Amino acid sequence: MQKKGANISLKGYDDIFSTDQSRAEAQQERVQEILLSELHPFEGHPFRVVDDEEMMKTVESVRDFGVLTPAIVRPDPYGGYEIISGHRRHRASELAGKETMPAIVRDMDDDAAIILMVDSNLQRETLLPSERAFAYRMKLDAIKHQGQTCGQVGHKSRDALSDSDSGRQIQRYIRLTELIPEILDMVDNGQIKFNPAVELSYLAREEQQDFLSAMDFAQAAPSLSQAQRIKKLAQEGECTLDAMCEIMNEVKKGELDRVTFKTDSLRKYFPKSYTSKQMEDKIIQLLEQWQKKREKSMER
C-alpha cells in the first residue's frame, strides 16, 4: 500500500512565488535563436536540399532580411535539435554566413513529427516524383502507427494525406517507392513518364534490372502500353529479358513519320554557342529558304 504523503515533493523557489499566468507563459512556444551547428536534418526525410538557383534566391533573401519564417525543431535526446520544418532555410542560412536561425522548439513524438515534416514540405510546387512518393509513404505509415483505422477505411486514410492528390493518385505515387533507384532516377529526370513507371513498379527487382537492359537495347523509354504489357508478363511469370527487348524494340505510334537527329551529329554544322533550340530554328529557316527556291525553279 502506498504510503500517505509519498507523492509530496518540495517545490522550488520559482514554483512557490510564480503565478499561474507566468507558468502558462513559460510553457508557451516561442521563437528562439538557435546555433546552426546545433540543428541537424530529420532522420530519413525524403526531401532534397539542393544548391540550385532557387536556393541562391533564398540565400540572398536570408542575407538581406534574415529568416522570416522560423523553423520548427524538436529536442534531440542525443544533443542539439532535429529539424522538422526548415531544412532549406537552414542550408540558406549556412550559405549566407549566418551563425543562428530562428526556430520554434516543440516536443513531438516520431509520428507527429513525420506528419508535420511531410505536410510542411508537400506545399512546395517543385517536388520530384520520388520526394512526393516517399513523403506520402512516410506519412501513411505514421498515421497507421498512431492507431487510426486503416484496415477497413484505408482509402480514407490515403485521402487524408493530401489536399491536392486523391487517394487513388497517392496510392500510385507510393507505388514508385517499389522501383529500384536507377529507374526512380529516370522518373525524376523525365526519362520515364509517371504512368509507365507505376506499371513497372509491379516488377520484381531482378525484372526491373533486366528492364534497364531492355531499355538500353531499344534506346527508348517505355510507353504506357509497353509498360502495361511488361507488367502482365511479370504477373504471368513470363517476364524474360528477351520478351522485354521484343516489346521495347517496337516502333511506337507516332514515330513512323517522325524524323529525328542526334544533337552530336548536327553540332559540327553550328557554332559551339548554339543551343538545341537555336539549331532547330536555323534548320527550319534553311528549309524554308530551300522550299522557296524550289518553288521558283518550278515556275520557270
Side-chain angles (χ1 to χ4, degrees):
M1 185 173 178
Q2 192 174 31
K3 292 182 180 180
K4 189 176 181 179
N7 288 331
I8 297 176
S9 60
L10 295 176
K11 294 181 179 293
Y13 179 91
D14 292 337
D15 291 327
I16 294 172
F17 291 98
S18 61
T19 64
D20 289 341
Q21 180 179 353
S22 64
R23 284 194 292 270
E25 289 175 351
Q27 292 178 354
Q28 288 180 351
E29 294 180 339
R30 64 183 187 277
V31 178
Q32 306 177 40
E33 284 291 331
I34 299 178
L35 289 171
L36 298 182
S37 59
E38 292 187 3
L39 301 171
H40 52 266
F42 192 93
E43 184 177 355
H45 85 94
F47 303 103
R48 302 181 189 181
V49 179
V50 184
D51 294 344
D52 55 9
E53 184 178 351
E54 287 300 315
M55 175 61 76
M56 294 306 108
K57 291 180 182 178
T58 305
V59 171
E60 185 177 352
S61 174
V62 169
R63 189 178 289 122
D64 293 342
F65 308 107
V67 175
L68 301 179
T69 304
I72 298 177
V73 303
R74 65 173 179 169
D76 189 322
Y78 297 102
Y81 301 89
E82 187 175 44
I83 302 172
I84 297 172
S85 171
H87 293 86
R88 286 174 53 80
R89 280 164 278 167
H90 179 260
R91 176 57 178 162
S93 297
E94 288 181 329
L95 294 175
K98 303 289 185 179
E99 294 185 357
T100 65
M101 71 176 289
I104 295 172
V105 179
R106 184 177 298 175
D107 285 316
M108 305 181 74
D109 62 28
D110 289 345
D111 295 326
I114 286 172
I115 292 170
L116 178 57
M117 181 269 296
V118 170
D119 286 346
S120 63
N121 280 280
L122 281 178
Q123 309 305 318
R124 287 163 44 197
E125 296 180 359
T126 55
L127 283 180
L128 295 172
S130 64
E131 292 177 309
R132 193 175 294 275
F134 281 102
Y136 280 147
R137 191 173 84 171
M138 287 182 70
K139 184 176 178 181
L140 183 59
D141 289 344
I143 290 175
K144 288 180 178 179
H145 193 256
Q146 285 182 327
Q148 296 194 14
T149 53
C150 292
Q152 57 189 26
V153 288
H155 67 285
K156 291 185 179 180
S157 298
R158 288 192 295 270
D159 287 338
L161 290 179
S162 171
D163 294 330
S164 58
D165 291 318
S166 66
R168 172 62 177 163
Q169 185 70 351
I170 288 169
Q171 185 181 31
R172 288 164 60 77
Y173 268 110
I174 292 176
R175 282 300 319 172
L176 296 184
T177 64
E178 302 297 330
L179 292 170
I180 60 175
E182 296 91 334
I183 294 180
L184 191 54
D185 285 343
M186 290 182 176
V187 180
D188 279 343
N189 62 34
Q191 287 179 266
I192 298 178
K193 300 299 182 183
F194 177 81
N195 288 331
V198 172
E199 303 299 320
L200 295 174
S201 71
Y202 290 90
L203 274 61
R205 298 185 72 83
E206 297 79 7
E207 292 169 336
Q208 291 185 39
Q209 290 288 354
D210 283 344
F211 170 77
L212 287 175
S213 299
M215 187 173 167
D216 184 61
F217 169 76
Q219 288 293 294
S223 65
L224 177 58
S225 172
Q226 288 172 320
Q228 288 171 335
R229 282 182 286 153
I230 290 173
K231 172 187 172 183
K232 185 177 180 182
L233 287 177
Q235 292 171 334
E236 296 171 350
E238 299 178 359
C239 189
T240 64
L241 175 58
D242 288 343
M244 285 191 283
C245 285
E246 184 176 346
I247 290 175
M248 288 300 299
N249 205 37
E250 295 172 350
V251 177
K252 297 184 182 70
K253 184 180 179 180
E255 290 184 352
L256 294 172
D257 53 359
R258 182 188 302 171
V259 178
T260 59
F261 295 94
K262 290 185 177 180
T263 304
D264 292 342
S265 63
L266 297 174
R267 180 66 64 184
K268 60 184 178 181
Y269 299 108
F270 296 92
K272 292 182 179 180
S273 60
Y274 266 46
T275 65
S276 297
K277 182 66 169 58
Q278 287 174 318
M279 288 192 289
E280 179 182 347
D281 292 342
K282 177 57 71 173
I283 290 172
I284 296 298
Q285 180 185 356
L286 293 172
L287 286 173
E288 288 175 348
Q289 292 175 358
W290 172 78
Q291 178 66 16
K292 290 178 181 178
K293 290 180 180 180
R294 183 168 176 270
E295 291 173 353
K296 287 183 179 179
S297 63
M298 292 178 63
E299 291 174 356
R300 295 174 182 174

